[in-house]
Amino acid sequence: MSKVIAIDLGGTNLRAGIVDDNLNILKAIRERSTHDNTSNLYQQIKSIIVELLSTNLADGVSSIGISCAGFCENGTVKLSPNLNIGNFNLVNLFQNDFPKIKNIVLANDANASALMEAKYGAGQKYNNIVFVTISSGIGLGLVINKKLIDLPFEVGHNYIYYKNRYYELEQLISGNGLMLLSNINGLKVDSAAELFKLVYEKNINARKVYEEWLKLTGSFLANLQLDYNLDAIVLSGGVMQSKEFFLDDLISVANAFIAPFPTKSINICEAKFDQDTGLISGASLVLSN
């Protein structure tokens, strides 16, 4: 049985564990992520790996897969706004301190999750998918012919023009973004869930905000379909907790945008993995190699 160390390096939590090739998490350790200092963060991660390797469950560990929130390229976290760090060459540090582990892969968390869903989850029966997470921010990963296209950027930071100024995409359509979008349109809500609840209750102002969100989000998904002619778009993230309120409407709006063009209809699937997404996606980076 093959085993790997999987690391989920997020802006809030750091989680690492030993995962087998059946995606069973054999042992996991979770701590609050260290911010602002790459040396301290690395020492935190290193101590967790040393602890994991000291257990008898570590027999046969051959790889490390790291799923990280941030701009990742060539083994380096170029920038992680949520951790407030940059130029963090994590793979090189691991290679120096754990020379017996030869296969070490780092990827943006959305990219890693895209590969995981393509290999083991909702995208398993498709060749070409985009994984999109709509949560506190917006993440995206692209898989073409079952191969991860390891994009170094985070799509949530793309710019869009709305009501006479530029915003980052996630500032308007993410879970947190829905609060700003509501405020811009004269409605105060404390969460995305509150907005969807008001829509369900037929609040007129909430309905107007909701329709703006549908247009912005639907056009974003439509552009992905036009760019890649996808077999499926796999949706994940906290906003999906309210999917019964919006998913049918979102699919309809997105498909209306692409109707004039000879592309496949947009097929939206809900992601399979939930609480263990970070660890399993980290593991998938190396289990799929």
Side-chain angles (χ1 to χ4, degrees):
M1 177 185 295
S2 177
K3 299 177 187 176
V4 303
I5 287 179
I7 298 170
D8 174 20
L9 179 53
T12 302
N13 294 308
L14 165 64
R15 194 174 179 212
I18 299 173
V19 180
D20 69 19
D21 52 10
N22 291 316
L23 302 182
N24 298 308
I25 299 172
L26 306 180
K27 180 176 177 61
I29 298 170
R30 177 178 173 179
E31 298 180 359
R32 300 286 286 186
S33 299
T34 296
H35 289 202
D36 307 320
N37 187 300
T38 55
S39 295
N40 291 343
L41 176 58
Y42 180 67
Q43 290 305 315
Q44 181 187 24
I45 300 169
K46 179 181 174 181
S47 67
I48 292 174
I49 294 176
V50 169
E51 182 177 346
L52 290 171
L53 290 174
S54 70
T55 70
N56 57 7
L57 292 171
D59 291 343
V61 166
S62 58
S63 304
I64 298 176
I66 312 118
S67 167
C68 177
F71 296 78
C72 301
E73 189 174 17
N74 300 324
T76 298
V77 183
K78 298 284 190 179
L79 175 68
S80 178
N82 291 332
L83 290 166
N84 196 29
I85 60 169
N87 297 317
F88 185 28
N89 195 333
L90 193 52
V91 169
N92 185 61
L93 291 166
F94 282 160
Q95 288 171 337
N96 289 335
D97 285 333
F98 304 100
K100 292 183 179 179
I101 299 179
K102 302 300 183 184
N103 186 26
I104 304 171
V105 180
L106 166 73
N108 168 268
D109 54 357
N111 288 352
S113 295
L115 181 62
M116 173 189 64
E117 289 290 342
K119 291 285 186 178
Y120 311 111
Q124 199 168 6
K125 64 182 179 179
Y126 304 113
N127 287 323
N128 303 321
I129 71 162
V130 157
F131 170 88
V132 177
T133 179
I134 305 177
S135 193
S136 55
I138 301 292
L140 179 146
L142 174 65
V143 173
I144 300 295
N145 292 325
K146 293 291 186 183
K147 298 293 185 182
L148 175 67
I149 309 302
D150 193 8
L151 303 171
F153 62 84
E154 291 190 305
V155 73
H157 299 292
N158 284 357
Y159 286 103
I160 57 173
Y161 192 71
Y162 182 71
K163 294 201 171 180
N164 299 316
R165 62 157 289 186
Y166 287 97
Y167 295 89
E168 291 182 14
L169 181 67
E170 66 184 33
Q171 288 180 296
L172 296 182
I173 74 168
S174 69
N176 289 341
L178 267 166
M179 291 184 282
L180 176 59
L181 184 65
S182 297
N183 189 56
I184 292 169
N185 287 281
L187 178 69
K188 181 170 181 0
V189 296
D190 294 324
S191 67
E194 182 182 352
L195 174 68
F196 292 128
K197 182 174 181 291
L198 289 172
V199 173
Y200 180 74
E201 293 170 352
K202 303 188 184 308
N203 179 287
I204 294 174
N205 291 333
R207 182 74 198 185
K208 290 178 180 176
V209 175
Y210 173 67
E211 289 176 354
E212 292 290 282
W213 180 78
L214 284 176
K215 286 188 288 186
L216 292 170
T217 308
S219 63
F220 164 55
L221 299 180
N223 284 334
L224 293 175
Q225 189 68 24
L226 291 170
D227 285 342
Y228 302 111
N229 198 26
L230 300 162
D231 299 318
I233 296 175
V234 179
L235 283 187
S236 180
V239 170
M240 289 297 286
Q241 294 176 13
S242 301
K243 64 182 183 294
E244 67 273 17
F245 294 114
F246 71 78
L247 192 54
D248 287 345
D249 288 342
L250 181 60
I251 293 170
S252 177
V253 169
N255 274 306
F257 276 112
I258 67 167
F261 305 102
T263 186
K264 298 172 187 172
S265 295
I266 293 173
N267 172 27
I268 292 180
C269 305
E270 185 178 0
K272 175 180 177 180
F273 297 96
D274 186 17
Q275 296 300 315
D276 294 324
T277 293
L279 278 188
I280 300 299
S281 61
S284 74
L285 290 171
V286 286
L287 287 173
S288 64
N289 285 353

